[in-house]
Amino acid sequence: MSNGYIVGLFKFRDLNDFNNFRDKFALVVVKLIEANGGIFLSRTPDCEFLEGREYGFHVVIEFPDYEKAKVLMGTPAWNELQDVRRGFIESSESSFMLLKGGDILSK
């Protein structure tokens, strides 16, 4: 069983709307994530950009089970909240993924 990691790198449409994002999405989705075993490792705008595109907000969530996280991401409750999230961000300039834990390069 591999850990799963949700990684979100977001650019907001309007930084003045951050409080609405927090109230309508972030404070709601946290309950769903924690109820499914997820733990927030980071939710912050603070980042040292070393290479590539800059984002305004970064999220990393760890799940003890990749498959359980994948099931969560297919539920109606999850999909409904993602529609809310998409209303606040520039999707074409953001990234959102479920990463399977592991290291295929180690021996």
Side-chain angles (χ1 to χ4, degrees):
M1 172 173 60
S2 295
N3 287 2
Y5 299 88
I6 291 177
V7 178
L9 307 170
F10 305 132
K11 179 179 179 188
F12 287 100
R13 289 183 184 172
D14 182 355
L15 288 176
N16 294 320
D17 219 9
F18 186 81
N19 289 339
N20 282 331
F21 169 80
R22 183 193 62 223
D23 295 343
K24 293 180 180 178
F25 175 74
L27 295 177
V28 179
V29 77
V30 69
K31 296 171 189 169
L32 186 60
I33 288 169
E34 290 177 347
N36 285 275
I39 299 169
F40 285 87
L41 301 180
S42 183
R43 285 191 290 180
T44 182
D46 299 328
C47 180
E48 293 293 324
F49 294 99
L50 304 175
E51 216 174 289
R53 179 182 297 202
E54 289 189 25
Y55 300 92
F57 196 71
H58 316 87
V59 179
V60 180
I61 306 163
E62 181 180 39
F63 288 85
D65 184 345
Y66 172 83
E67 292 301 327
K68 187 172 181 180
K70 194 172 177 180
V71 168
L72 168 64
M73 294 177 83
T75 64
W78 177 266
N79 290 324
E80 200 173 292
L81 282 170
Q82 298 316 299
D83 288 341
V84 173
R85 176 183 57 82
R86 288 182 194 105
F88 290 99
I89 66 164
E90 293 289 347
S91 293
S92 64
E93 297 183 36
S94 299
S95 292
F96 191 75
M97 68 204 79
L98 175 59
L99 175 67
K100 189 172 189 177
D103 182 358
I104 66 166
L105 299 178
S106 68
K107 290 187 175 188

